[in-house]
Amino acid sequence: MAASYTHLRVDITDGIALVTLDRPEVYNATNDVLHGELTRIWRDLDADPAVRVIVVTGAGDRAFSAGGDLGDIEARAALPAEERFEAVVRVMKEAEAIVYEMVNCEKVIISAINGVAVGAGLAVALMADISIIAEEARLTDGHARLGVAAGDHAAIIWPLLCGMAKAKYYLLTCDFIDGREAERIGLVSRCVPRAELMPEAMRIARQLADGPQHALRFTKKALNQWLRLGGITAFDYSLALEMLGFFSAAPAEGARAIQEKRPPRWG
Amino acid sequence: MAASYTHLRVDITDGIALVTLDRPEVYNATNDVLHGELTRIWRDLDADPAVRVIVVTGAGDRAFSAGGDLGDIEARAALPAEERFEAVVRVMKEAEAIVYEMVNCEKVIISAINGVAVGAGLAVALMADISIIAEEARLTDGHARLGVAAGDHAAIIWPLLCGMAKAKYYLLTCDFIDGREAERIGLVSRCVPRAELMPEAMRIARQLADGPQHALRFTKKALNQWLRLGGITAFDYSLALEMLGFFSAAPAEGARAIQEKRPPRWG
Amino acid sequence: MAASYTHLRVDITDGIALVTLDRPEVYNATNDVLHGELTRIWRDLDADPAVRVIVVTGAGDRAFSAGGDLGDIEARAALPAEERFEAVVRVMKEAEAIVYEMVNCEKVIISAINGVAVGAGLAVALMADISIIAEEARLTDGHARLGVAAGDHAAIIWPLLCGMAKAKYYLLTCDFIDGREAERIGLVSRCVPRAELMPEAMRIARQLADGPQHALRFTKKALNQWLRLGGITAFDYSLALEMLGFFSAAPAEGARAIQEKRPPRWG
Amino acid sequence: MAASYTHLRVDITDGIALVTLDRPEVYNATNDVLHGELTRIWRDLDADPAVRVIVVTGAGDRAFSAGGDLGDIEARAALPAEERFEAVVRVMKEAEAIVYEMVNCEKVIISAINGVAVGAGLAVALMADISIIAEEARLTDGHARLGVAAGDHAAIIWPLLCGMAKAKYYLLTCDFIDGREAERIGLVSRCVPRAELMPEAMRIARQLADGPQHALRFTKKALNQWLRLGGITAFDYSLALEMLGFFSAAPAEGARAIQEKRPPRWG
Amino acid sequence: MAASYTHLRVDITDGIALVTLDRPEVYNATNDVLHGELTRIWRDLDADPAVRVIVVTGAGDRAFSAGGDLGDIEARAALPAEERFEAVVRVMKEAEAIVYEMVNCEKVIISAINGVAVGAGLAVALMADISIIAEEARLTDGHARLGVAAGDHAAIIWPLLCGMAKAKYYLLTCDFIDGREAERIGLVSRCVPRAELMPEAMRIARQLADGPQHALRFTKKALNQWLRLGGITAFDYSLALEMLGFFSAAPAEGARAIQEKRPPRWG
Amino acid sequence: MAASYTHLRVDITDGIALVTLDRPEVYNATNDVLHGELTRIWRDLDADPAVRVIVVTGAGDRAFSAGGDLGDIEARAALPAEERFEAVVRVMKEAEAIVYEMVNCEKVIISAINGVAVGAGLAVALMADISIIAEEARLTDGHARLGVAAGDHAAIIWPLLCGMAKAKYYLLTCDFIDGREAERIGLVSRCVPRAELMPEAMRIARQLADGPQHALRFTKKALNQWLRLGGITAFDYSLALEMLGFFSAAPAEGARAIQEKRPPRWG
């Protein structure tokens, strides 16, 4: 299976699949290829009898995944109308798939958030069933900076993680949240010193891989009804609204501003 | 527009509407006039192209808004049956409107909770999308003290703010919660020293007013599906049950006891 | 009424019913008799005009209730197929009843969690409207240790107590949570030093028993719509999935392993 | 058990409990006693191992149950304020219980609608799992005639029976619906000539009583999640709104007008 | 009030507001002006104490309202990108408002569907609480013909009117449905011969205007929770998806094909 | 792709995939192989750019699909406990997949119900977006005959097809429904004479395949939120309850009785 992935490294050992987002030269940002791979990996691992538990992390020391490639966003904005429409529909479908494939994956997924997580990277980090973060790692949803609605995963789970007041604050302001604060407000399961991150994630993975699989999977399955409820009310809608925003001028300006390290001019 | 409000001051500057509950002599308590104005202001500001973000606060140093005028409650209790019924239906309609007009207002609303907030005042404080509170400001829902169900806003959002165990505890006991505790349990977005309250609220308002409006509004719109879900299950029902309580002897006794600063005799 | 209970002590004084889980020799674990009694007590007390508020705690110093009798679980696993099926259906019905009878009980229920709480005991502790815990008391759901899904109460309320990330972490790992941590993450209403537990629980009970009953009950009734929503989506399903697990080999092995104080071999 | 009912006849034969609303001299209208009995009968029969299926019908030739005693409504309207409040809360609780006890009764309930069904009688007729009606039997909800909201059962199930357009039409106009039309629009399961009503109801009861009980009860249990969803959104709310209406002048006038066979003057 | 409408005639007589969509020369199709007016009329009438019940119909003999002006759609498709985006957002907001203002209007709305109803016109016809149709009048949603998703109202109510199998069939094929068939499948409340349409609509309006207003409005309010549930799950989402479609080439081709009376070439 | 299916024939012509359940010698009953194929086919066709619309029918003249192989059910009942548990979990997973893969398939699915449809076959017939039935074709859910809960698809859609009263009646009694009646009560989209079945199904498929794909798929996507709502409340639960029933003695007896053409003895 590993053969079929370009930007994901997949190591399966003794029931644990370690999935590494592997574009360290760009902070493991998701380009079109990686974005697509993140829609397929969960179902592949779910079908693999050698896998009991999944751990996902980012390659290198600095990043879990720094969001989407800004170049891809600009390129999409520059497409002729009909191609742009098709491209946006494809992105919508993929963003939906990343979230729901993680929700519907029977096996427990643990994220080890080793560094900055933004955009689709944050979606993977927080849609994991168990999320362990390094103290100094920093998170932000990032959509508002780009000029589109927070549609990648936030609406399905943030109100059930950190409550509505914190959720709206961080999703609207795009302030960064460090590991300790993320744990304090409930956005992640646990926060540990960086050196302990992978050992702790692997220790939990080991415990769960040695545990009663049906019991664990049924527990996940039942708890996830809350997420499915958030899906049909808030998330699917948020995603369609985000996509709508790609037909405004905002995301091209947002992407340029981030690249040029200047404040955006939203007009 | 400002002309049409008696107890609300509305200052619109550079895309930010600053709305001040303005009855400082009674801790900005809501009387019938102010209650009605709080149902209309959000739609008015939503329709005003000069406004991009809304900040709401209380006049003076001591209060955001100290709930409803107790005299109005007693007066209502003393009405002949049919007039009382009509009055209660009107209050139900207005209380519903305050909550849903804030939920449905496209523009982001920020509350700067500068002092005590109770009853309808608390509804405005906590239904804001972003809520910033001064450390020493104190909150309580207050309905149980008055002898009616917590119907003004609590059921739509408290379980999604501070969780069910805290929500029930505070709504049933009516214990006061200060700013720090409110932030710790997730009831508000942020807590700051009093001197920083308005500067911080205005700084955030400025940032959002300069931000990508469609993206911010769509993010609010999608997240609010959770509130609409809480609305059709818990809140609308809580409001009808609160109104039912106005036909018992409790609220008249509750109002008298508060005014006479004595424990109520619920009988 | 007290006459009809074997393992529950019920003392009704001045409007407050104090219910004590009373099998201190086994940490107040639930056997079939006590499990059945926990389905009936809430309706009985609801119908009793002498009762206004209910407090529930465990007998002795060490335990609120240490889950289900492991012997009962092993005995059930040893039954002939058809009897086992009937037994499992009966357990499902009772587990459902414990949760929903507490939700539907009009009167406010306060749990004073004086020591370890596991399984059905934890269900009673956390389904109470107000939960006060001693600092050193320890909680764990325990189902995953037994090898079945967390179906007794967790899915209806944990995501609304401590958020999804903490809920999944603790329900999947079965790590113990002490009183302070339980309060910090929102799992309980309050945490107090052990010596203050019963005085504080009774002080709150006194305040509520002296309060406006319709207002308090209507507030509970309306807030509980969130739980009923969690019931028809996540909880009922979790319970059916847990019961399914009783037809696997896991729970017999889990029960034996706990009794033999050795790690389970899930196979 | 039969001993404990005044206005219900209960005959249990060979697994089938035949429940007869038995006040033929007043078209089996529900007075306070019968209303209360209709809240208890389902749980009693559910607990009785001799019962596998329940059939409910009306005594005599002309009526299933002609709604509530108008005298009771007028008497309630004449009570002093506080007693009236308590009486209304009691009615709310009972109306809620009739609906939910039928929904939660594990055993299949079949109504044989032998004549006119109105109000609480209609609630019993339509909340049955299977409803068989005589061709010439006539139904109407009747609440709007009385001057209060249709809160007894309609909102939980009508939109899922006959669709929203028919539901609103009949609930707002209170037009009578005969058996054939009721079947055509889906309000009941089947319509048969009067002479075949009881034989057909008993034939189906026999078939189901001889059927696989767990399968039938689980099927009912799962399908009823739709009703529970309608309960927490529309029905509970409708009931609170109906009760609110009892504090207006409408129901007393409505009751008088019906008794005096004149059009009401709603004022 | 009538003064403020260009394409709506509003006649208020004796508690009944008769609203006429009044562009008979174009089959009462909605242009931008009329579309906007249909968002405001319900709230205006709700606030008018002279109005108790609302009847809405189309001017002339042939049409209730034949959907949206195709010219407007083409003009929108020809706008520069950013203006087009703003225009689409405005349409989304208005389409949302038409549906929710009708749902939230306290007063009962009756549609008298006197002729063809398509698009936004069909939304008004079917979102009315009571819908009476002339036998030969014909309905179709029409969105699929235009090349966009059925987002104007269908997803909120069709599954609760005619069931999912019929809903999908007609919404996907855009086959016309005549009055008799519409009644048979539950899409409308009643079907009558054309000559009886207005008399029957006015007769019902008269009856309801003379009826107990709070009871009728509360009944509507409670039943509409089902629609609000459909709103936050299916309708809001359908609308965002429809709007997304306006950035594809389909609607311009769809509009041209309809105008040129030729089959569309969807490509 | 066709190569990978044993009991499904797949013919793709001009955008239309015709899928034929192909075991005519056993009325196209689903054995383990076909059951598994029915979980995969929809995703495969969704991913195939050559396919725009899907038609599914049964091979031969007599059957769409006559439910599950009774032999498989008996074999499963005879397995040792742990294998039986694994087998039941696998069936649950597949039954869930058949329903959700049809719901989540972007492309419109049309069923041409050419003969008897039972069990999993009925699930495919009725979960299709558009269902066309031959007049004399007969349907029954069949689960109650087998002695397990109706968990394969019924709870997700029947109440939204034919209403609750008809749904419960047919699901509890297992009475057969012919094509005309199925159409009358809304269970299917259309009923036609047998000779017109395939031509009509293909005519509609042609029309839709020539239609605007995004518009059609978005319409399906949005309407299906109702099914997803039914999924997380009623269907997932019904499936778990059905599976539970496989550990009772009922299904083995049910399967034997059907094979021996004698009434079952449920005991």
Side-chain angles (χ1 to χ4, degrees), chain F:
Chain F
M1 172 203 306
S4 49
Y5 293 97
T6 303
H7 296 311
L8 289 178
R9 256 190 291 128
V10 183
D11 303 298
I12 300 174
T13 311
D14 217 2
I16 300 172
L18 177 62
V19 177
T20 307
L21 285 73
D22 194 17
R23 298 181 72 213
E25 67 286 4
V26 289
Y27 289 79
N28 306 314
T30 54
N31 59 2
D32 284 356
V33 173
L34 178 50
H35 205 256
E37 292 179 352
L38 286 171
T39 68
R40 289 163 24 219
I41 182 70
W42 319 107
R43 188 170 284 245
D44 281 352
L45 294 175
D46 223 11
D48 185 341
V51 175
R52 294 159 73 96
V53 172
I54 302 163
V55 178
V56 59
T57 193
D61 278 349
R62 294 176 307 185
F64 182 81
S65 170
D69 263 2
L70 297 171
D72 284 1
I73 289 165
E74 287 184 286
R76 205 160 57 224
L79 288 173
E82 197 65 15
E83 285 175 52
R84 190 185 182 186
F85 176 74
E86 296 292 340
V88 168
V89 170
R90 203 160 46 240
V91 169
M92 177 168 74
K93 198 167 159 175
E94 282 188 11
E96 188 184 304
I98 292 175
V99 166
Y100 284 120
E101 294 292 336
M102 291 184 78
V103 167
N104 292 330
C105 177
E106 290 198 330
K107 295 167 186 176
V108 175
I109 302 170
I110 300 168
S111 62
I113 312 170
N114 58 314
V116 69
V118 182
L122 186 65
V124 172
L126 298 190
M127 293 306 299
D129 302 300
I130 291 177
S131 46
I132 319 288
I133 193 168
E135 289 173 347
E136 63 272 33
R138 295 166 79 231
L139 313 173
T140 190
D141 177 72
H143 281 81
R145 271 175 205 222
L146 197 60
V148 291
D152 256 13
H153 80 290
I156 205 174
I157 197 168
W158 281 54
L160 290 177
L161 288 173
C162 60
M164 195 53 110
K166 301 285 185 191
K168 279 189 180 166
Y169 181 80
Y170 285 112
L171 293 169
L172 291 170
T173 63
C174 280
D175 280 6
F176 272 96
I177 311 168
D178 69 24
R180 278 194 199 82
E181 181 68 1
E183 190 281 335
R184 186 182 73 93
I185 65 175
L187 208 51
V188 297
S189 307
R190 302 257 323 270
C191 173
V192 296
R194 177 185 217 85
E196 297 172 25
L197 180 69
M198 285 313 295
E200 185 62 9
M202 294 311 284
R203 184 194 63 75
I204 297 166
R206 183 74 269 137
Q207 176 191 330
L208 297 183
D210 292 346
Q213 296 306 300
H214 288 300
L216 299 175
R217 292 171 194 184
F218 283 178
T219 295
K220 170 177 177 172
K221 203 177 179 67
L223 285 166
N224 276 0
Q225 299 291 64
W226 284 97
L227 299 184
R228 292 184 186 98
L229 178 64
I232 59 172
T233 52
F235 167 66
D236 293 343
Y237 185 44
S238 76
L239 193 52
L241 292 176
E242 177 188 355
M243 293 306 121
L244 216 45
F246 279 112
F247 297 98
S248 76
E253 166 60 12
R256 265 191 312 271
I258 295 170
Q259 286 177 308
E260 298 169 7
K261 296 179 198 277
R262 60 160 174 85
R265 289 177 292 266
W266 300 114

Side-chain angles (χ1 to χ4, degrees), chain B:
Chain B
M1 173 203 306
S4 48
Y5 293 97
T6 302
H7 296 311
L8 289 178
R9 255 190 292 129
V10 183
D11 303 300
I12 300 174
T13 310
D14 217 2
I16 300 172
L18 177 61
V19 177
T20 308
L21 284 73
D22 194 18
R23 297 182 73 213
E25 66 287 4
V26 290
Y27 289 78
N28 305 316
T30 55
N31 59 1
D32 283 358
V33 173
L34 179 50
H35 205 256
E37 292 179 351
L38 286 171
T39 67
R40 289 163 24 220
I41 182 70
W42 319 106
R43 188 170 284 245
D44 280 353
L45 294 175
D46 224 11
D48 185 342
V51 176
R52 293 159 75 97
V53 173
I54 301 164
V55 178
V56 60
T57 194
D61 277 350
R62 293 177 308 185
F64 182 81
S65 170
D69 264 2
L70 298 170
D72 285 3
I73 289 163
E74 287 184 287
R76 204 158 60 222
L79 289 173
E82 197 65 16
E83 285 176 51
R84 191 184 182 187
F85 175 74
E86 296 291 341
V88 167
V89 170
R90 204 159 46 237
V91 169
M92 178 167 74
K93 198 168 160 178
E94 282 188 11
E96 188 184 306
I98 292 176
V99 165
Y100 284 120
E101 293 292 336
M102 290 184 78
V103 167
N104 292 331
C105 176
E106 290 197 330
K107 296 168 185 174
V108 175
I109 302 171
I110 300 168
S111 62
I113 311 171
N114 58 313
V116 69
V118 183
L122 186 65
V124 172
L126 297 190
M127 293 307 299
D129 302 300
I130 290 178
S131 46
I132 319 288
I133 192 168
E135 289 173 347
E136 63 273 33
R138 297 166 79 231
L139 314 173
T140 191
D141 177 72
H143 281 81
R145 273 176 205 221
L146 197 59
V148 291
D152 256 14
H153 80 289
I156 205 174
I157 196 168
W158 280 54
L160 290 178
L161 289 173
C162 59
M164 196 52 111
K166 303 285 185 190
K168 278 190 181 166
Y169 181 80
Y170 285 111
L171 294 169
L172 291 170
T173 63
C174 279
D175 280 5
F176 272 95
I177 311 169
D178 69 24
R180 278 193 198 83
E181 182 68 2
E183 191 282 335
R184 186 182 74 93
I185 64 175
L187 209 49
V188 297
S189 307
R190 301 259 320 272
C191 172
V192 297
R194 177 186 217 86
E196 296 172 24
L197 180 67
M198 286 311 297
E200 185 62 9
M202 295 310 285
R203 184 193 64 75
I204 297 166
R206 182 75 270 139
Q207 177 190 331
L208 298 182
D210 292 346
Q213 296 307 299
H214 287 301
L216 300 176
R217 292 171 194 183
F218 283 179
T219 295
K220 169 177 178 173
K221 203 177 179 67
L223 285 167
N224 276 0
Q225 299 291 64
W226 283 97
L227 299 184
R228 291 183 186 99
L229 177 64
I232 61 173
T233 52
F235 167 66
D236 294 344
Y237 185 44
S238 75
L239 194 52
L241 291 176
E242 178 188 354
M243 293 306 121
L244 215 45
F246 280 112
F247 296 99
S248 77
E253 166 60 13
R256 262 193 312 272
I258 295 170
Q259 285 175 309
E260 298 170 6
K261 296 178 197 277
R262 58 161 176 86
R265 289 178 290 267
W266 300 114

Side-chain angles (χ1 to χ4, degrees), chain C residues 77 152 189:
Chain C
D152 257 13
S189 306

Side-chain angles (χ1 to χ4, degrees), chain A residues 108 129-130 160-161 183-184 186 188-190 204 207-208 210-212 215-216 218-219 221-227 229, chain C residues 144 147-150 155-156 159-160 163-166 168-169 171-173 184 226 229-230 233-234 237-238 241 266-267:
Chain A
V108 175
D129 301 301
I130 290 177
L160 290 177
L161 289 172
E183 190 282 336
R184 186 182 73 92
V188 297
S189 307
R190 301 259 322 271
I204 297 166
Q207 178 191 330
L208 297 182
D210 292 345
L216 299 175
F218 283 179
T219 295
K221 204 176 178 66
L223 285 166
N224 276 359
Q225 299 291 65
W226 283 97
L227 299 183
L229 178 63
Chain C
V148 290
I156 205 174
L160 290 178
M164 196 53 113
K166 302 285 184 189
K168 278 189 181 166
Y169 181 79
L171 294 169
L172 291 170
T173 63
R184 186 181 74 92
W226 284 97
L229 178 64
T233 52
Y237 185 44
S238 75
L241 291 175
W266 299 115

Side-chain angles (χ1 to χ4, degrees), chain C residues 195-215:
Chain C
E196 295 172 25
L197 180 68
M198 286 311 297
E200 186 61 9
M202 294 310 285
R203 184 193 64 75
I204 297 165
R206 182 74 271 137
Q207 177 190 330
L208 297 182
D210 292 346
Q213 296 307 300
H214 289 300

